[in-house]
Amino acid sequence: MFGGHSFGGAAFADHRQVTINLFFGFAISIDLEYRIYVATEELITAADDTPPSQPYAGVLDEPLDFTWSMLGSSGIGGFITGKGSTVISNLDGRFDVLTQRYATDGQPVEVRLGRVGTPQTTWPIVLKGLSSGEFINDASFEISTEDNAYKFDVPTSAVVFAGTGGLEGGEDLAGKPLPLCFGWVLNIEPPLVAPNELLYRVHDGQVQAIAAVYDQGLPLDLDQDYATVALLRAAAVPPNHYATCLAQGWFRAGSVPSGTVTADVQGDAPGGIFAQTTVDIVLALIARASAVNVPADIYMPSLVALNLIQPAPVGIHISHNDTSTVADIINLLVVGIGGYAGFRRDGKFYMGRIDAPMGPPTKRFDSTNFDPNPTKQKLPDGIWPPPWKWMIGYQGNYTVMTNPAGAVSDARRSFLAAEYRYAQASAPAVKVDHPFGKDPDPVKACFRDQADAAAEATRRLALYRVARGLYSFGISDRDAALLNVGQQVFIRHTRGDLAAGRNMIAVEIRHKAADNLATITAFG
């Protein structure tokens, strides 16, 4: 049958009217595109659907074998990367030509779940990502798939010094990325780009302020700011002073330094808009360095919510010697606030924080939809037995100095000698019930202020000192199809501490669509 109905084949799993379809596109050149439309059951879309009157071959053997997880040995959270595979039947050899003519890696993949006979445009997206490789043999065409996290596996700065002199630096800087500063950063060591001019660069673009410049720990006096780097280069900067070009991220020293030159910077501020919260810095970095479009590719409600509960000023510096990717920096930022970030099923970037689950839940699960029933899992080593103390970093010092100038004050000398300051929250009583209670490694967070670091330490102590559980349970693939890692679920079971039911956070989702099965791991 046509007009959005099947025309042969077997239905998905054990439900005849449910099908998963896979849209798999291969962009070959500007005027040629090879696309594959396959489903678990043969069908053709209606003339008014999108795509219109499109046949789907019923050769999709494994629609989605995929995992998203934010579980790690040290705890829960961080940057989430989803990976898996899809398998298409190749018994008739229809896909043999792919390896001869086309490259499949890097091409978009979209998996939708819906009922035959309903418009495909109404089918929810189960996965929107890309192919990271393929394997084709006489029996099958297996596609390795990833979510959109691959878009952040790129350098934080695509612009590098040419090393040709002047503003492009000397041979020592050739090929190195321009430095970046976001939020409040202290005592960075910027590259000396033009040694004969004592010209330094702190950021690729406009900054809010270069609040201080130091020579071996001793502060220089600010002369003035110039509108362009050309004016800054032409200026006569007095000895023991510095002058800036905030609009382009430069400063000059007025006299030859006696030691290491460092600076305190209030960073990225395009158009005068200064990013200083975790969310705002992540957005600024994404907009600058990745192929993700802001705000079109962002699930903004999650970022708005996180900004409300965690508005603390933070800062991070990415030096010209740093090869970190965008994903690395996002991970560092969200780990510092006890959060997570990744891509939803629909391909949009989202963020959140691990808090005690209080509801309302996105989904409810009980004996009517468990398959198999919940089983208790071991909590990550970093949070079990419960930590009795947390230490959270603030005011990171990007250039540790053990031999500052003799005139440096004792307070400044103490600051320069340590990479971080730490705020602490502790509850020795935890060790009464748990003698082996954890003393986790200090968290190298990016907070500016001690009060915010202390608040985060207190929050984590309260979150993890109480009895928490980690459970895995099976449900139908359809029940999990719209659930994202980080969302809350409600679980009720006859055994253990689930008898009264409890709200929990989905921290891992594993799909096995060919078996109509998903495994959820939840914390709470």
Side-chain angles (χ1 to χ4, degrees):
M1 294 186 297
F2 295 87
H5 291 272
S6 61
F7 57 95
F12 168 60
D14 57 345
H15 290 259
R16 176 158 180 77
Q17 291 305 310
V18 180
T19 193
I20 283 185
N21 97 63
L22 172 70
F23 161 67
F24 192 48
F26 302 92
I28 304 304
S29 72
I30 193 168
D31 59 354
L32 175 64
E33 211 171 59
Y34 185 98
R35 296 190 175 189
I36 296 175
Y37 294 89
V38 294
T40 52
E41 178 180 341
E42 286 189 341
L43 60 95
I44 186 169
T45 60
D48 58 353
D49 205 349
T50 303
S53 304
Q54 175 62 54
Y56 281 73
V59 293
L60 186 54
D61 288 345
E62 172 53 271
L64 191 66
D65 186 347
F66 204 89
T67 299
W68 291 269
S69 181
M70 58 174 165
L71 279 175
S73 60
S74 61
I76 300 170
F79 186 70
I80 304 164
T81 300
K83 295 187 178 184
S85 63
T86 291
V87 180
I88 302 170
S89 174
N90 190 39
L91 289 172
D92 59 4
R94 71 177 70 190
F95 299 113
D96 290 352
V97 68
L98 291 180
T99 56
Q100 303 169 31
R101 299 184 183 179
Y102 304 108
T104 62
D105 57 301
Q107 305 307 321
V109 174
E110 186 173 294
V111 181
R112 288 177 180 259
L113 175 68
R115 291 184 179 274
V116 174
T118 60
Q120 183 181 273
T121 51
T122 66
W123 293 9
I125 295 172
V126 179
L127 171 68
K128 190 171 186 178
L130 85 161
S131 162
S132 56
E134 86 289 321
F135 177 74
I136 299 177
N137 60 24
D138 292 345
S140 63
F141 170 23
E142 181 175 348
I143 309 160
S144 298
T145 51
E146 298 188 14
D147 67 8
N148 281 337
Y150 82 95
K151 294 182 178 181
F152 290 163
D153 190 21
V154 294
T156 52
S157 178
V159 184
V160 299
F161 289 106
T164 53
L167 299 182
E168 291 294 339
E171 292 182 358
D172 59 318
L173 292 178
K176 292 187 175 183
L178 272 59
L180 298 174
C181 292
F182 296 94
W184 303 76
V185 296
L186 302 175
N187 211 42
I188 70 166
E189 185 178 354
L192 177 56
V193 179
N196 59 325
E197 302 177 49
L198 300 177
L199 183 65
Y200 298 81
R201 187 151 205 185
V202 300
H203 182 71
D204 178 19
Q206 184 175 353
V207 296
Q208 178 79 0
I210 301 175
V213 173
Y214 305 92
D215 178 1
Q216 203 61 17
L218 285 174
L220 305 181
D221 294 324
L222 175 63
D223 178 31
Q224 66 180 85
D225 182 58
Y226 292 89
T228 67
V229 69
L231 291 173
L232 176 63
R233 297 175 77 184
V237 183
N240 299 316
H241 286 67
Y242 72 100
T244 61
C245 173
L246 300 180
Q248 294 173 275
W250 298 85
F251 74 83
R252 278 184 64 203
S255 51
V256 176
S258 59
T260 302
V261 173
T262 60
D264 297 342
V265 180
Q266 296 163 30
D268 191 58
I273 301 174
F274 177 42
Q276 59 175 326
T277 68
T278 298
V279 167
D280 291 344
I281 290 173
V282 167
L283 280 174
L285 180 60
I286 290 173
R288 161 188 293 273
S290 79
V292 173
N293 296 314
V294 179
D297 296 337
I298 308 294
Y299 183 63
M300 289 304 299
S302 68
L303 276 69
V304 170
L306 182 57
N307 233 358
L308 287 173
I309 63 173
Q310 183 45 277
V314 297
I316 192 163
H317 168 56
I318 307 158
S319 85
H320 59 292
N321 292 314
D322 194 333
T323 59
S324 295
T325 65
V326 172
D328 293 333
I329 299 302
I330 293 176
N331 182 71
L332 193 156
L333 286 163
V334 298
V335 166
I337 63 168
Y340 58 88
F343 285 85
R344 291 160 45 96
R345 294 176 179 275
D346 61 6
K348 293 193 174 188
F349 176 76
Y350 73 125
M351 299 177 70
R353 190 176 73 175
I354 303 298
D355 286 296
M358 305 298 291
T362 303
K363 291 270 190 178
R364 291 178 176 268
F365 302 105
D366 57 29
S367 58
T368 63
N369 45 24
F370 287 141
D371 182 23
N373 287 327
T375 57
K376 200 162 190 176
Q377 308 294 320
K378 288 184 177 180
L379 286 162
D381 290 342
I383 57 174
W384 185 261
W388 68 277
K389 179 174 71 173
W390 285 92
M391 296 177 66
I392 307 294
Y394 67 98
Q395 291 185 10
N397 168 23
Y398 282 92
T399 310
V400 174
M401 291 184 181
T402 57
N403 59 338
V408 171
S409 69
D410 289 343
R412 179 69 181 170
R413 192 177 296 271
S414 176
F415 172 88
L416 294 173
E419 183 182 9
Y420 280 91
R421 278 119 289 281
Y422 290 99
Q424 176 178 308
S426 61
V430 170
K431 301 198 74 173
V432 175
D433 293 328
H434 301 281
F436 293 95
K438 297 290 185 179
D439 183 359
D441 291 336
V443 178
K444 294 184 176 180
C446 301
F447 292 109
R448 182 192 68 181
D449 299 328
Q450 188 274 344
D452 292 319
E456 176 61 17
T458 300
R459 187 188 74 84
R460 293 197 198 195
L461 183 67
L463 175 64
Y464 293 112
R465 68 177 294 181
V466 301
R468 300 287 180 193
L470 189 69
Y471 284 89
S472 290
F473 57 94
I475 55 175
S476 77
D477 194 66
R478 296 183 307 282
D479 284 338
L482 300 183
L483 187 64
N484 291 289
V485 167
Q487 290 182 311
Q488 290 190 35
V489 295
F490 182 83
I491 304 172
R492 189 192 303 274
H493 185 48
T494 56
R495 297 288 301 274
D497 52 6
L498 297 179
R502 66 195 297 176
N503 289 305
M504 305 188 82
I505 302 167
V507 295
E508 183 175 272
I509 301 173
R510 302 183 63 187
H511 274 276
K512 188 70 174 173
D515 299 330
N516 190 28
L517 178 67
T519 301
I520 307 297
T521 301
F523 166 80

